[in-house]
Amino acid sequence: MFKNLRKRWRAGLVAITAVGLGLGAVVYTQGASAATWPTATGTTKLTATKAVSGTFDGGLKRFVGSGALGTDSQDEDQDPLFELADGATLKNVILGDPAADGVHCKGSCTLTNVWWENVGEDAATFKGGTSAVYTVSGGGAKGADDKVFQHNGGGTLTIKNFQVDDFGKLYRSCGNCKTQYKRKVVIDNVTATYPGLSLVGINSNYGDTATLSNITIVNDTKKKLAVCITFKGNNTGAEPTKLKTFTGATGGDGVNCKFTAANVTYK
């Protein structure tokens, strides 16, 4: 209910105008505190989920939910704005507000230069099988009350050259799905601007691993943001049990949470 009250631009996050760059060109400097947020080239309302197979290039248009997709709620089991078939690519898209349940990947998928101006239920949910490979390259997300990326299926998700601002969790391996998997997430060159709760939540009892490098955390002067949290997941629907919390100061355990203090920079 508070999503529309969120500040779209947090203190310490500076927009840089990319003069002379072509459509879809976005500047991202490794270790920097901000990337360039694109200006939408137009707005399209979606009243039903848009199915994508192959490659869909949105030309940096803003897509927003309308009708059944326009409730702007945090209810579970909402439909997404985009549903990607196995092997599909979504690129140069801005998801506006309301964004429903963002993007669903039914199998392996690639999200390139995708931006969420105000995350709905989740930004993207990954539902492929054991060998699925998902890639999020470039882009960013703001205003996530809870999760940005939800990993319900199996496989490996790579998140690189991404920024997240004002969020609950950047990534969560499903803690209580009926079918559970050993999941992997690789996070590289990501800038997280506080407030936020955690970058990664994984289920160590299922053998999940998170590998993190080149992480920049902005405006977290008291270092409250957890980098990696391990849980005891289940397939019964019960709330998973939190086990251990690893911060930028402590580094990970080298087994499930794979990073060192040297991989995290505070600004």
Side-chain angles (χ1 to χ4, degrees):
M1 64 183 290
F2 298 107
K3 294 183 70 61
N4 291 330
L5 300 178
R6 287 182 177 274
K7 294 182 179 179
R8 297 294 177 85
W9 300 96
R10 307 294 298 189
L13 187 62
V14 181
I16 306 170
T17 302
V19 178
L21 295 179
L23 181 66
V26 176
V27 175
Y28 196 105
T29 303
Q30 181 166 320
S33 60
T36 299
W37 277 77
T39 300
T41 58
T43 298
T44 298
K45 293 183 178 181
L46 295 177
T47 57
T49 299
K50 183 175 181 62
V52 176
S53 58
T55 297
F56 177 79
D57 188 333
L60 281 180
K61 287 184 179 179
R62 176 185 291 113
F63 293 83
V64 298
S66 183
L69 295 178
T71 60
D72 194 26
S73 76
Q74 284 292 302
D75 293 341
E76 296 291 337
D77 300 320
Q78 291 186 68
D79 290 330
L81 294 187
F82 293 91
E83 184 174 76
L84 276 58
D86 187 22
T89 295
L90 181 69
K91 67 179 184 178
N92 300 326
V93 166
I94 301 170
L95 280 77
D97 183 12
D101 199 26
V103 178
H104 285 186
C105 288
K106 298 177 71 175
S108 296
C109 68
T110 301
L111 308 181
T112 302
N113 199 32
V114 177
W115 302 82
W116 290 264
E117 292 180 325
N118 195 13
V119 174
E121 182 185 346
D122 298 316
T125 304
F126 304 95
K127 300 183 172 185
T130 303
S131 60
V133 176
Y134 326 93
T135 300
V136 175
S137 180
K142 301 177 186 178
D145 285 350
D146 190 11
K147 302 173 295 295
V148 177
F149 297 124
Q150 175 72 28
H151 195 167
N152 288 350
T156 300
L157 169 62
T158 298
I159 305 166
K160 60 184 180 180
N161 305 332
F162 192 82
Q163 72 168 20
V164 61
D165 177 9
D166 188 10
F167 62 104
K169 310 169 187 72
L170 174 60
Y171 168 90
R172 182 66 172 101
S173 172
C174 183
N176 53 13
C177 285
K178 290 182 179 179
T179 301
Q180 289 287 25
Y181 300 86
K182 177 181 179 179
R183 305 181 178 101
K184 297 181 180 179
V185 62
V186 178
I187 300 179
D188 180 53
N189 196 25
V190 166
T191 296
T193 300
Y194 193 78
L197 297 177
S198 63
L199 291 182
V200 171
I202 57 176
N203 306 310
S204 55
N205 60 311
Y206 290 121
D208 290 357
T209 61
T211 304
L212 301 97
S213 58
N214 300 314
I215 304 300
T216 301
I217 300 176
V218 182
N219 292 342
D220 186 13
T221 56
K222 296 184 179 180
K223 300 183 179 180
K224 291 184 176 181
L225 177 64
V227 173
C228 187
I229 301 176
T230 59
F231 293 85
K232 183 178 180 180
N234 63 76
N235 61 1
T236 65
E239 189 67 21
T241 303
K242 183 186 292 187
L243 299 176
K244 295 181 180 179
T245 299
F246 301 96
T247 68
T250 65
D253 58 8
V255 178
N256 300 105
C257 295
K258 300 181 179 182
F259 73 100
T260 67
N263 297 132
V264 182
T265 301
Y266 290 89
K267 291 189 175 181

